[in-house]
Amino acid sequence: MKKHNFYAGPAILPAPVLEQAAAAVVDFEGMGLSLLEISHRSKEFTAVMEEAIQLPKDLLGLGDDFEVMYLTGGASSQFYMAAMNLLNDVETASYVDTGAWSTKAIKEAQHFGNIEVIATSKDKNYAYIPKGYHIPGNSTFLHLTSNNTIFGTEYHELPETDVPIICDMSSDIFSRPIDVARYGMIYAGAQKNLGPAGTTLAIVRKDLLGRVERTIPTMLNYQTHIAKNSSFNTPPVYPIYVCLLTLRWLKEQGGLAVVEEKNQAKAALLYNEIDENPLFEGTAAAEDRSLMNVTFVLKDETLSDAFLAAATAANCVGIKGHRSVGGFRASIYNAMPQSSVQVLVDVMKDFAQKNG
Ligand SMILES: *Cc1c(COP(=O)(O)O)cnc(C)c1O
């Protein structure tokens, strides 16, 4: 029996995506060959890449002023590549520190240009999204982490500014529609909400490219990958194919407005239980709660092992919280069906009856 997969990442993928992905390993589209053993320059794979580049544009409503890339090295490589490609040594970029991933992005960007941390929620172990801070108008860009996978917080409103936003959307990409005009760049490691580990989706506004004066090694230059349709060198063909399958699935759902509605319903189901159940409490500020990663604790920590055992017995896996927050984290990405969330809610209700 398939388990209810609440892991934070690598994470759940839609069931039909896994089935098609498995079939492609054996025989890709009736070619008599596995997708794993064909050239990335074959017409079959070139078509995969073209569609995988087009669908993010369709789903997000991106105009021709944006370019889509599939890169390697994880979202973590974008922490430095973004600044390396987009920020001159004499320029300043503003960063908001909303958790471990933001902190890492800040550290790596510091190799290039001036990095100013204009707000942080570190004072409360990142349990909220800072608001009302000043964004210097001369910032080349503002870097945000839209969803904080570890701490369970998410931006529900962007700060007001004309500065282009560069956003790490690794854990909430394609979970809701976005106002594309606000963004200069978006990047996301595939393994949370899009596909398997091994590729990173990067979307960049063309006019921000070609501005920096430093020389950039060929493989680290966005322009290299854009010019060659993400096939300058051998791309991770299989992860990109699985991303394509997920993108098709998202489109079949009816687009991102429909996906957002489902995500809101799933999150509401779980947060309502956390709020109503006398044994549990949420760890993130209510107005900043993530629709993707739901973090909560037992008020009586001595019950933790028993609760984990009850969840495991109900086939719910991956709910142990990150070590820096403790407690529990249920990741309920796009691919998570509401029925699985209901199973976890039922475990919580039952646990309260037995231990209340
Ligand atoms: C997981 C995660 C990362 C790191 O991604 P890698 O692909 O492992 O480098 C970065 N940012 C966020 C928000 C994440 O959730």
Side-chain angles (χ1 to χ4, degrees):
M1 187 219 157
K2 175 89 191 195
K3 299 206 166 155
H4 307 289
N5 181 358
F6 292 92
Y7 279 111
I12 185 169
L13 287 165
V17 166
L18 289 178
E19 273 165 35
Q20 294 166 63
V25 172
V26 180
D27 183 3
F28 181 54
E29 293 182 352
M31 286 178 80
L33 294 167
S34 166
L35 174 62
L36 303 180
E37 55 183 8
I38 62 168
S39 170
H40 57 295
R41 313 241 176 250
S42 63
K43 69 176 187 330
E44 288 82 1
F45 187 75
T46 309
V48 166
M49 184 64 98
E50 275 172 14
E51 191 182 347
I53 287 173
Q54 185 57 42
L55 281 178
K57 296 183 186 175
D58 297 348
L59 284 164
L60 296 173
L62 302 174
D64 288 338
D65 47 338
F66 285 93
E67 298 282 3
V68 173
M69 291 166 268
Y70 287 87
L71 304 174
T72 53
S76 297
S77 289
Q78 296 315 303
F79 296 163
Y80 65 85
M81 273 176 80
M84 188 187 222
N85 279 267
L86 306 177
L87 185 67
N88 272 304
D89 288 340
V90 297
E91 292 175 332
T92 300
S94 295
Y95 277 67
V96 179
D97 176 26
T98 50
W101 297 117
S102 303
T103 308
K104 288 183 174 169
I106 290 162
K107 175 165 182 267
E108 298 308 317
Q110 278 164 346
H111 294 291
F112 310 97
N114 305 307
I115 302 303
E116 203 180 325
V117 180
I118 57 168
T120 176
S121 48
K122 194 172 183 194
D123 59 330
K124 291 190 177 157
N125 198 29
Y126 300 114
Y128 70 103
I129 299 286
K131 294 167 198 81
Y133 45 85
H134 173 69
I135 301 161
N138 65 350
S139 306
T140 300
F141 60 77
L142 167 67
H143 183 281
L144 305 176
T145 311
S146 53
N147 183 70
N148 298 282
T149 323
I150 294 173
F151 299 94
T153 63
E154 187 174 22
Y155 284 82
H156 296 295
E157 221 170 297
L158 291 173
E160 244 170 81
T161 178
D162 295 329
V163 172
I165 294 170
I166 293 191
C167 195
D168 177 358
M169 290 193 191
S170 291
S171 50
D172 67 349
I173 185 99
F174 303 124
S175 67
R176 54 183 177 175
I178 59 167
D179 179 4
V180 292
R182 302 292 312 278
Y183 296 93
M185 181 178 177
I186 293 164
Y187 61 90
Q191 69 275 15
K192 309 275 168 49
N193 224 348
L194 186 55
T199 191
T200 301
L201 179 68
I203 298 168
V204 66
R205 219 174 70 198
K206 281 183 202 169
D207 64 306
L208 302 181
L209 293 166
R211 288 181 58 259
V212 292
E213 276 153 32
R214 73 180 59 86
T215 55
I216 302 174
T218 308
M219 273 298 288
L220 300 182
N221 193 328
Y222 290 145
Q223 289 175 306
T224 303
H225 300 286
I226 291 167
K228 299 290 182 187
N229 259 0
S230 297
S231 299
F232 170 75
N233 69 323
T234 316
V237 292
Y238 194 65
I240 292 169
Y241 177 64
V242 182
C243 289
L244 169 61
L245 295 175
T246 307
L247 290 162
R248 284 180 184 160
W249 178 84
L250 287 165
K251 198 171 172 180
E252 280 162 23
Q253 301 297 297
L256 299 189
V258 175
V259 171
E260 180 183 35
E261 257 179 59
K262 291 184 184 174
N263 285 333
Q264 281 172 340
K266 286 183 284 176
L269 181 61
L270 189 46
Y271 283 120
N272 285 344
E273 181 58 28
I274 290 167
D275 291 340
E276 284 169 12
N277 190 308
L279 298 191
F280 295 94
E281 64 187 1
T283 61
E287 74 272 19
D288 301 324
R289 283 172 162 178
S290 168
L291 298 187
M292 299 284 102
N293 309 99
V294 178
T295 52
F296 56 103
V297 292
L298 274 161
K299 291 175 190 165
D300 176 0
E301 269 185 38
T302 64
L303 293 173
S304 290
D305 287 348
F307 177 64
L308 267 183
T312 306
N315 283 318
C316 293
V317 297
I319 63 161
K320 202 169 156 54
H322 191 272
R323 61 192 175 280
S324 59
V325 181
F328 308 97
R329 168 176 55 176
S331 297
I332 52 172
Y333 297 119
N334 290 336
M336 169 71 63
Q338 180 155 335
S339 55
S340 289
V341 180
Q342 187 64 54
V343 171
L344 181 60
V345 164
D346 290 344
V347 171
M348 293 165 75
K349 282 188 198 300
D350 188 54
F351 193 72
Q353 288 209 325
K354 288 179 180 149
N355 296 277

